[in-house]
Amino acid sequence: FAGGLAGILPEEFTMAEYARRGFFEMAVICTINLFVISLSVGLTRKEDASPLSTRILCLFIGIVTLFLVATASAKMVLYIDSYGLTRLRVLTQVIMIFLGIVTLLVCLWLFIQKLPYMKAVILAAMLIGAAVSWMDVDTLVAGYNTDAYLSGKMETVDVAYLGRLGD
């Protein structure tokens, strides 16, 4: 479950299966947990705030969700360390960072009722989208893979993939 944080690959998985499964499980669980938190707060809201017990339980769900995001991200880092960086792996990490930010904002919103968390989520999405669109992902990928190969961290480099990257 948390082997990614410890750098442990279970015997029954390949590195790719482990990273993919971690990402998709994390995405589904994040969606379910954020829906449950929103529904719980919405259904129990009395006057200005939900009961403290509901907010504490929702905070626990949020913390577990953040742990799952960290675990999935660690699994992806193991995968990147083994096989190098690609555009898709960069974007996968960006999505995980965004889900972590959204979960953190929802956790804050549980106790700071005036927090405009949807505005913050939209702002985070816009900033991350702008950063990714302006970032030269191809140069980042080529530089990381070349440096990892030259330092001995990776045994081979997918030269055909690097050849398909932009100028």
Side-chain angles (χ1 to χ4, degrees), residues 32-55:
I32 292 169
N33 286 353
L34 291 173
F35 177 74
V36 166
I37 290 171
S38 299
L39 190 64
S40 298
V41 170
L43 292 176
T44 60
R45 183 164 290 199
K46 299 193 180 177
E47 295 176 24
D48 288 336
S50 299
L52 181 62
S53 59
T54 302
R55 289 184 285 153

Side-chain angles (χ1 to χ4, degrees), residues 64-78:
V64 169
T65 304
L66 286 170
F67 177 74
L68 290 173
V69 171
T71 300
S73 184
K75 290 176 184 179
M76 184 56 67
V77 168
L78 283 174

Side-chain angles (χ1 to χ4, degrees), residues 9 31 56 62 84-85 87 105 113 127:
L9 175 66
T31 303
I56 290 173
L85 198 57
R87 287 183 199 132
L105 286 168
Q113 295 294 315
L127 290 174

Side-chain angles (χ1 to χ4, degrees), residues 32-158:
I32 292 169
N33 286 353
L34 291 173
F35 177 74
V36 166
I37 290 171
S38 299
L39 190 64
S40 298
V41 170
L43 292 176
T44 60
R45 183 164 290 199
K46 299 193 180 177
E47 295 176 24
D48 288 336
S50 299
L52 181 62
S53 59
T54 302
R55 289 184 285 153
I56 290 173
L57 288 172
C58 288
L59 179 64
F60 176 74
I61 292 171
I63 290 170
V64 169
T65 304
L66 286 170
F67 177 74
L68 290 173
V69 171
T71 300
S73 184
K75 290 176 184 179
M76 184 56 67
V77 168
L78 283 174
Y79 187 41
I80 290 168
D81 286 345
S82 297
Y83 297 107
L85 198 57
T86 64
R87 287 183 199 132
L88 186 58
R89 292 175 196 150
V90 170
L91 296 178
T92 301
Q93 283 291 62
V94 168
I95 290 169
M96 287 190 267
I97 290 168
F98 177 69
L99 284 174
I101 290 170
V102 169
T103 304
L104 187 61
L105 286 168
V106 169
C107 288
L108 290 172
W109 170 70
L110 290 169
F111 294 96
I112 306 171
Q113 295 294 315
K114 303 252 186 226
L115 179 73
Y117 75 97
M118 280 310 292
K119 287 181 183 178
V121 167
I122 292 169
L123 180 64
M126 290 172 46
L127 290 174
I128 289 172
V132 169
S133 66
W134 287 322
M135 180 174 54
D136 188 3
V137 176
D138 291 348
T139 300
L140 176 74
V141 168
Y144 177 87
N145 290 341
T146 304
D147 291 342
Y149 175 73
L150 293 175
S151 70
K153 191 175 185 180
M154 287 179 15
E155 294 178 15
T156 61
V157 172
D158 188 354

Side-chain angles (χ1 to χ4, degrees), residues 10-26:
E11 291 180 17
E12 63 271 10
F13 291 106
T14 66
M15 190 63 72
E17 291 171 329
Y18 193 50
R20 275 190 213 105
R21 185 171 177 182
F23 173 75
F24 289 113
E25 287 174 354
M26 180 261 331

